[in-house]
Amino acid sequence: DVKVTQSSRYLVKRTGEKVFLECVQDMDHENMFWYRQDPGLGLRLIYFSYDVKMKEKGDIPEGYSVSREKKERFSLILESASTNQTSMYLCASSPPLAGGPGEQFFGPGTRLTVL
Amino acid sequence: QKEVEQDPGPLSVPEGAIVSLNCTYSNSAFQYFMWYRQYSRKGPELLMYTYSSGNKEDGRFTAQVDKSSKYISLFIRDSQPSDSATYLCATSNSGGYQKVTFGIGTKLQVIP
């Protein structure tokens, strides 16, 4: 079974704090993704990575950065947390692209609250 | 206009009903059409997908794509309380990097 794990299920932080969300996958997938999920807005792509040390901006990268030093680990960083970053954060991974739908395997999510 | 439009519901049906979930999309380049299911407090999981137009059946679930009208459907026969979840449609291109575009999800509740 593919497993994608996220470091925390629930996190409460203060405005201005630096926040690290960690994601680890155990299926040797090249591609990893960070989304946020909000009611009425659905899943929105923040950043993705298709290789170690590679990163690409998604649809809403402002206020976030990422790090991928190892293939299995993809970190999302909120440099200075703000209340509008309160959300559910979902990490996903997918295997190499050789046709197919690009199925993504998701972690359980981290519910981040910024006070 | 969003690339994938989906009615968020909620949709409430009695057990045993046939459920119809729908999405529309705008990008003709999309080749893969997927349905993800997300239970409460879990990440989404791929339920099934189709390539290009046509139907695909898997047990009680049927996915249908009409590329001429850019319409994606998921039918659930003999719905069960365990089908209660949020269903997200999703699309992607073929070849190269495949960005997956998700609908916002329809919340379904099946009442026993």
Side-chain angles (χ1 to χ4, degrees), chain A residues 2 8 29 36 46-47 57 69 78 80 98 105 111 115:
Chain A
V2 176
S8 306
H29 285 169
R36 60 179 286 177
I46 305 171
Y47 267 97
K57 292 180 180 179
E69 296 297 319
L78 287 67
S80 178
F105 297 84
R111 170 74 64 185
L115 301 175

Side-chain angles (χ1 to χ4, degrees), chain B residues 44-65:
Chain B
E45 290 180 297
L46 182 67
L47 183 61
M48 56 194 306
Y49 75 90
T50 56
Y51 176 72
S52 195
S53 275
N55 291 2
K56 187 172 185 178
E57 193 172 313
D58 184 2
R60 296 184 294 109
F61 298 87
T62 300
Q64 203 170 72
V65 176

Side-chain angles (χ1 to χ4, degrees), chain A residues 9-10 33 35 37 40-43 48 59 90 97 100-104 106-107, chain B residues 2 32 34 36 38 41-44 46 49 88 92 96-100 102 104:
Chain A
R9 291 302 304 271
Y10 300 93
F33 310 83
Y35 295 88
Q37 187 175 33
L41 296 174
L43 281 167
F48 64 94
D59 300 317
L90 287 158
L97 305 168
E103 177 184 358
Q104 296 189 9
F106 285 84
Chain B
K2 290 184 179 178
Y32 289 95
M34 295 161 274
Y36 281 76
Q38 185 176 19
R41 292 186 293 277
K42 301 270 189 183
L46 182 67
Y49 75 90
L88 298 91
S92 67
Y97 169 69
Q98 291 164 324
K99 178 185 171 185
V100 178
F102 290 89
I104 65 171

Side-chain angles (χ1 to χ4, degrees), chain A residues 5-62:
Chain A
T5 56
Q6 295 183 229
S7 49
S8 306
R9 291 302 304 271
Y10 300 93
L11 210 52
V12 179
K13 295 292 181 181
R14 297 278 180 196
T15 302
E17 279 193 78
K18 191 168 185 176
V19 181
F20 293 86
L21 302 182
E22 304 285 338
C23 175
V24 177
Q25 52 95 2
D26 66 359
M27 281 301 290
D28 203 34
H29 285 169
E30 268 73 7
N31 307 310
M32 296 189 75
F33 310 83
W34 274 107
Y35 295 88
R36 60 179 286 177
Q37 187 175 33
D38 300 286
L41 296 174
L43 281 167
R44 292 182 291 167
L45 182 64
I46 305 171
Y47 267 97
F48 64 94
S49 169
Y50 52 85
D51 202 353
V52 176
K53 297 193 186 293
M54 305 299 287
K55 60 185 179 184
E56 295 284 342
K57 292 180 180 179
D59 300 317
I60 51 162
E62 296 79 19

Side-chain angles (χ1 to χ4, degrees), chain B residues 13 16-21 37 47 59-63 73-80 83-84 87 108 110:
Chain B
V13 302
I18 296 173
V19 176
S20 172
L21 302 169
R37 179 173 59 193
L47 183 61
R60 296 184 294 109
F61 298 87
T62 300
S73 301
L74 178 70
F75 299 97
I76 307 174
R77 291 185 301 280
D78 187 25
S79 56
Q80 302 295 309
D83 296 329
S84 298
Y87 291 80
L108 171 67
V110 180

